């Protein structure tokens, strides 16, 4: 037998390299999430030096505001990405019972040092999630049932709480967009589908090509379904698939009442 | 060996995000989990980039991180869920013939890789999918070059055998 792969296998790998490649928009979306996570964990001393020095003048209030927005939006995205299906999804953030973490923080990745993001900002509670499975991937409390967050939780028992000199994240368009996602998600979970719809559309008016446009569009479809506007939901879902044909949210959209998957 | 590795996170992301994405998929991360897995990888990269010493190539360093993340996701999701996700992706997308062909190839390669043990899978992803030179892979694995070639030969045989079984099953 040859030491090389068979010709068919080599061709298969060649094709697979293309097939496994990210679609247009995938990396930008992932980058936005990475930025959000890093911004949320920017107070970790070990990574502070990597952040831009120019941001150092921003006030702590700004840091907290940005972190609140990012944390909440991260939770919202995570909730959206998973609440429609029951597939095991260990890696998506949950609405935080004790809202102190950025989007998806405090997770031991491997055995190596410095692999845990430890947020050190305590923020105000997020809106209470309603009947949503616990999703926090990293917290030791990840399996706790999700109920209304306790009021004014004590400071987290994190190892790094003595906030060093911080290069704070600025509130930029992404942070605003994240806040919109969070607000729309919270409204939807609270049963205010019309409110969620309004938030989504306001955000779209503000930035039609935002980095989280797909997430907002997905929430919009869910809101339309909640309002029994199935026709509108189907139209929105079809537009979603045209614009983001390989979005990881596509399966969730297909699982919605719009269900254009059965009628592409 | 790489010298003077890039220390700018944005540059690393711009240059290597696609590589990490492909690696995560090839290592069995379900499409629906890719955003999360990417976030995990690059948060670690952000944390550790300053301490990256350049003894390894940046690509193999990134692969090592991606490998650990992917392993976590595989354990969490389970093989059945992973296969389900891949099948669903193929069945549900509307694509051109070329896109469909590539996606099917990706799904088949991923499925076969999932059957292999970790060492074989790592070798094939790096060498056959990402075209990383074997000496670099050997350095990454910390094994002699001849050993790397020997393991690669076994990995290729295992892949070909699995492919033949699947082809035979279709006929």
């Amino acid at each position: 037998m040859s030491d090389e792969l068979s010709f068919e296998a080599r061709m298969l790998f060649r094709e697979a390299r293309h097939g496994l490649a990210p679609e247009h928009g995938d990396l930008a979306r992932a980058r936005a999430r990475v930025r959000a996570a890093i911004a949320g964990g920017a107070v970790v001393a070990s990574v502070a030096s990597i952040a831009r020095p120019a941001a150092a003048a921003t006030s702590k209030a700004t840091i907290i505001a940005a972190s609140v927005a990012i944390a909440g939006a991260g939770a919202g995205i995570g909730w959206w990405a998973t609440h429609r299906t029951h597939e095991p999804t260990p890696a998506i953030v949950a609405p935080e019972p004790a809202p102190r973490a950025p989007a998806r923080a405090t997770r031991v990745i491997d055995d190596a040092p410095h692999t845990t993001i430890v947020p050190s900002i305590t923020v105000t509670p997020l809106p209470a999630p309603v009947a949503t499975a616990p999703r926090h991937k990293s917290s030791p409390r990840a399996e706790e049932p999700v109920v209304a967050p306790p009021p004014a939780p004590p400071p987290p028992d994190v190892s790094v709480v003595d906030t060093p000199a911080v290069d704070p994240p600025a509130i930029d368009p992404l942070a605003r967009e994240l806040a919109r996602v969070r607000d729309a998600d919270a409204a939807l979970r609270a049963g205010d589908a019309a409110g969620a719809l309004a938030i989504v559309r306001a955000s779209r008016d503000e930035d039609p090509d935002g980095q989280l446009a797909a997430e907002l569009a997905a929430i919009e479809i869910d809101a339309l379904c909640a309002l029994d506007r199935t026709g509108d939901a189907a139209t929105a879902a079809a537009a979603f698939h045209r614009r983001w044909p390989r979005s990881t949210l596509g399966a969730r959209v297909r699982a919605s009442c719009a269900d254009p998957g059965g009628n592409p | 060996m790489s010298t003077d590795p890039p220390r700018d996170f944005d540059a690393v992301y711009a240059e290597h995000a696609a590589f990490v994405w492909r690696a995560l998929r090839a290592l069995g991360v379900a499409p629906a989990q890719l955003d999360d897995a990417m976030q995990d990888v690059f948060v670690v990269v952000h944390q550790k980039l300053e301490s990256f010493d350049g003894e390894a190539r940046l690509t193999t360093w990134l692969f090592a991180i991606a490998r650990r993340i992917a392993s976590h996701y595989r354990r969490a999701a389970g093989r059945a869920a992973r296969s389900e996700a891949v099948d669903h992706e193929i069945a549900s997308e509307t694509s051109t013939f070329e896109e469909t062909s590539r996606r099917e190839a990706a799904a088949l390669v991923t499925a076969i890789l999932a059957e292999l043990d970790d060492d074989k899978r790592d070798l094939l992803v790096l060498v056959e999918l990402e075209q990383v030179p074997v000496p670099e892979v050997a350095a990454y694995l910390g094994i002699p070059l001849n050993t790397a070639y020997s393991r690669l030969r076994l990995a290729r045989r295992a892949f070909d055998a699995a492919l033949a079984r699947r082809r035979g099953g279709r006929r």
Side-chain angles (χ1 to χ4, degrees), chain A residues 14-115:
Chain A
R14 181 179 297 180
E15 288 293 292
R17 183 177 165 82
H18 295 289
L20 294 170
E23 287 286 299
H24 176 72
D26 284 344
L27 295 184
R29 185 183 65 252
R31 180 74 178 94
R33 290 187 52 164
V34 171
R35 285 175 60 192
I38 291 171
V43 292
V44 179
S46 62
V47 302
S49 60
I50 301 177
R52 290 190 300 274
T58 308
S59 70
K60 188 168 184 177
T62 303
I63 304 170
I64 294 172
S67 298
V68 169
I70 291 163
I77 294 169
W79 168 82
W80 160 254
T82 57
H83 84 289
R84 286 202 154 276
T85 63
H86 301 288
E87 63 194 57
T89 48
I92 298 179
V93 73
E96 272 283 359
R100 57 182 174 80
R104 295 169 57 254
T106 317
R107 173 169 176 240
V108 176
I109 304 295
D110 59 15
D111 296 332
H114 310 301
T115 56

Side-chain angles (χ1 to χ4, degrees), chain A residues 42-264:
Chain A
V43 292
V44 179
S46 62
V47 302
S49 60
I50 301 177
R52 290 190 300 274
T58 308
S59 70
K60 188 168 184 177
T62 303
I63 304 170
I64 294 172
S67 298
V68 169
I70 291 163
I77 294 169
W79 168 82
W80 160 254
T82 57
H83 84 289
R84 286 202 154 276
T85 63
H86 301 288
E87 63 194 57
T89 48
I92 298 179
V93 73
E96 272 283 359
R100 57 182 174 80
R104 295 169 57 254
T106 317
R107 173 169 176 240
V108 176
I109 304 295
D110 59 15
D111 296 332
H114 310 301
T115 56
T116 303
I117 304 296
V118 184
S120 64
I121 292 177
T122 299
V123 298
T124 53
L126 297 175
V130 176
T132 303
R135 308 297 317 205
H136 199 290
K137 62 185 290 185
S138 55
S139 166
R141 297 168 298 163
E143 299 307 318
E144 294 176 4
V146 175
V147 294
D157 56 344
V158 296
S159 59
V160 180
V161 293
D162 183 16
T163 304
V166 172
D167 296 331
I171 296 181
D172 60 9
L174 174 62
R176 282 199 299 273
E177 197 176 12
L178 283 166
R180 297 281 198 183
V181 172
R182 174 218 178 196
D183 292 344
D185 169 46
L188 193 58
R189 282 186 288 158
D192 182 13
L197 204 55
I199 293 168
V200 167
R201 290 177 175 174
S203 182
R204 182 178 300 153
D205 290 344
E206 196 172 80
D207 185 3
D209 299 314
Q211 295 186 67
L212 299 176
E215 282 77 6
L216 285 162
I219 292 174
E220 177 187 31
I221 292 164
D222 203 31
L224 289 167
C225 287
L227 293 169
D228 289 328
R229 293 169 56 181
T230 308
D232 291 339
T235 301
F240 181 99
H241 291 302
R242 280 196 302 273
R243 185 171 179 186
W244 299 286
R246 288 186 60 190
S247 169
T248 53
L249 292 170
R252 272 75 180 179
V253 171
R254 286 184 200 91
S256 75
C257 75
D259 192 23
N263 184 26

